[in-house]
Amino acid sequence: MKKALTVALCLALAITAFACGSKDDSKKDNKSDTYEIAMITDVGTIDDKSFNQGTWEGVKEWAEKNDVTYKYYQPSENSNKARMEQIDLAVKNGAKVIATPGFLFQEPIFQAQSKYPDVKFVFIDGAPAETPESEPEVAKNTVSIVYAEQEAGYLAGYAAVKDGYTKLGFMGGMAVPAVIKYGYGFVKGANDAALEVGKDVSIKYNYTGGFQASPDIKAKAAGWFADGTEVIFSCGGAIFDSISAAAEESNGKVIGVDVDQSAQSKTVITSAMKLLKESVKDQLDAYKKDEFKGGEALVLGAKEKRIGLPMKTSQFRDFKQADYDKVYKDLAEGNIQVPTDRDTKEDELASKAPKINLIIIK
């Protein structure tokens, strides 16, 4: 009897211990399967050293500092359907805020902001719209952020010429508004610096047609360098890999884009940056404080201190911090007006930059 009682007691304790263990593990699993902050990539990856990475770093840093769960999602293909599927999955997994970088989310965010009215969306570099031709509609649970790329491009062009470069190149990816604004700003900045230093400057100007690296882009960049181009502004995601490879073989220089790309190649003299990480953290701070102002379409530039050059890592010879601070202040205060694709056509750009020999390559 005593033996039977002992066995029964041990069995009961074992069952209790097992049940308690299961309950604790369940809580842990539930927590790990729920992610409050989500980011969904566009066609790139979170380590693309460009737009996706900058956004992801902002999400990651903020979430870890504030002890909030977070996760990224990557669409299986480059389609609106695949992007929407990842938005659905993020919401299913508990997302309260979803950050999406890139204009490709225009239509998916338009759908998602009405489908999930209780979820907050931070749309970087675009505005939601029903179709690419439709007028943007920013709902109360969405903040749309675009940048004054023309100002970042201006700083890059101005600094390059002030630093002594007179034969420049601009290679953009697809001729989308953000890329065009970078290019126009680059030409205007180079022109203004050329006027100040009293030198003639030439710029070869081309859109490659895509954002992927290719042997053709590398060959074109190598040809430019062989023809005397000193520095090329690489403005199109992964085309940087082709242009920097050509620069390394040709003793040429490169200007990066969107984020500080100095770590990617010793040829990078500076980068025209959007401060993506800071912009994302701004909105996550607002969410935490219950001050998220949906329905807004923000344009962030020098005035908001959300574009710039990474002066600490830039490889300038003559362009100093004081020079940068002065031109940045003029941009921020509106003393410098930079053309964009909205107010200047490509064939009119040369007239706005009379000191530049602009060579547009189709």
Side-chain angles (χ1 to χ4, degrees):
M1 180 70 179
K2 183 177 180 180
K3 183 177 180 181
L5 183 61
T6 301
V7 171
L9 181 60
C10 289
L11 183 59
L13 288 171
I15 292 172
T16 302
F18 179 79
C20 289
S22 296
K23 186 177 181 182
D24 289 345
D25 289 343
S26 178
K27 284 183 178 179
K28 183 178 180 181
D29 289 343
N30 283 340
K31 182 178 180 182
S32 65
D33 288 339
T34 301
Y35 305 95
E36 186 172 346
I37 311 298
M39 176 199 150
I40 301 171
T41 68
D42 60 3
V43 293
T45 61
I46 60 165
D47 57 355
D48 65 357
K49 299 180 178 63
S50 188
F51 218 74
N52 288 285
Q53 183 169 335
T55 304
W56 174 241
E57 287 175 352
V59 168
K60 186 174 186 292
E61 286 184 16
W62 186 91
E64 292 183 352
K65 179 181 178 181
N66 290 277
D67 194 26
V68 175
T69 54
Y70 63 99
K71 181 180 175 66
Y72 80 88
Y73 300 80
Q74 187 171 331
S76 59
E77 62 181 20
N78 180 18
S79 70
N80 286 332
K81 179 182 177 182
R83 284 183 277 274
M84 193 65 206
E85 286 173 350
Q86 294 306 303
I87 292 174
D88 291 337
L89 181 59
V91 174
K92 181 180 178 181
N93 287 346
K96 303 300 182 185
V97 183
I98 298 177
T100 58
F103 70 95
L104 292 174
F105 280 96
Q106 182 183 51
E107 294 172 63
I109 294 300
F110 177 82
Q111 298 174 36
Q113 64 186 6
S114 58
K115 185 176 182 180
Y116 301 113
D118 295 330
V119 176
K120 293 174 172 55
F121 295 94
V122 181
F123 187 6
I124 306 289
D125 214 37
E130 188 171 10
T131 69
E133 294 76 29
S134 303
E135 287 295 317
E137 295 182 34
V138 184
K140 292 182 179 179
N141 57 328
T142 301
V143 170
S144 165
I145 297 174
V146 296
Y147 294 87
E149 290 95 353
Q150 69 274 14
E151 294 181 359
Y154 182 97
L155 291 170
Y158 182 89
V161 173
K162 291 286 280 189
D163 204 47
Y165 296 98
T166 59
K167 295 182 178 180
L168 315 180
F170 172 83
M171 281 192 181
M174 294 174 64
V176 296
V179 174
I180 295 171
K181 288 191 289 181
Y182 269 129
Y184 285 10
F186 185 68
V187 172
K188 173 64 173 172
N191 178 81
D192 289 0
L195 289 171
E196 290 182 18
V197 299
K199 293 183 178 179
D200 292 324
V201 173
S202 65
I203 298 179
K204 291 183 178 179
Y205 195 101
N206 173 251
Y207 298 109
T208 66
F211 296 113
Q212 301 302 316
S214 76
D216 288 343
I217 294 173
K218 181 182 176 182
K220 180 179 288 185
W224 286 17
F225 285 127
D227 195 37
T229 299
E230 300 165 302
V231 56
I232 296 175
F233 183 11
S234 170
C235 190
I239 69 171
F240 173 90
D241 296 334
S242 300
I243 296 170
S244 61
E248 288 168 5
E249 295 175 6
S250 308
N251 198 31
K253 301 297 181 183
V254 179
I255 294 172
V257 76
D258 288 339
V259 296
D260 182 0
Q261 295 190 295
S262 61
Q264 292 180 250
S265 172
K266 62 183 179 182
T267 66
V268 175
I269 61 169
T270 194
S271 300
M273 300 191 308
K274 302 173 182 178
L275 301 189
L276 305 164
K277 182 167 63 174
E278 290 75 8
S279 302
V280 172
K281 291 194 289 188
D282 289 343
Q283 297 307 315
L284 292 176
D285 279 338
Y287 158 72
K288 182 182 179 181
K289 298 174 183 176
D290 199 24
E291 296 175 354
F292 189 87
K293 296 180 179 179
E296 287 193 339
L298 305 178
V299 180
L300 305 181
K303 182 179 179 180
E304 295 78 21
K305 298 182 179 179
R306 288 295 176 258
I307 57 94
L309 305 181
M311 291 300 290
K312 289 184 179 180
T313 59
S314 293
Q315 300 184 56
F316 292 129
R317 302 162 298 188
D318 300 314
F319 186 67
K320 306 301 182 185
Q321 183 69 47
D323 301 318
Y324 177 74
D325 292 342
K326 182 180 183 302
V327 68
Y328 197 98
K329 182 180 179 182
D330 284 339
L331 276 174
E333 294 180 350
N335 297 327
I336 299 173
Q337 298 300 315
V338 188
T340 71
D341 62 314
R342 294 180 177 85
D343 53 36
T344 302
K345 300 300 181 184
E346 193 172 290
D347 57 1
E348 299 172 351
L349 188 55
S351 66
K352 290 183 176 289
K355 197 66 175 174
I356 301 295
N357 176 24
L358 187 63
I359 306 165
I360 296 177
I361 300 172
K362 300 294 187 180

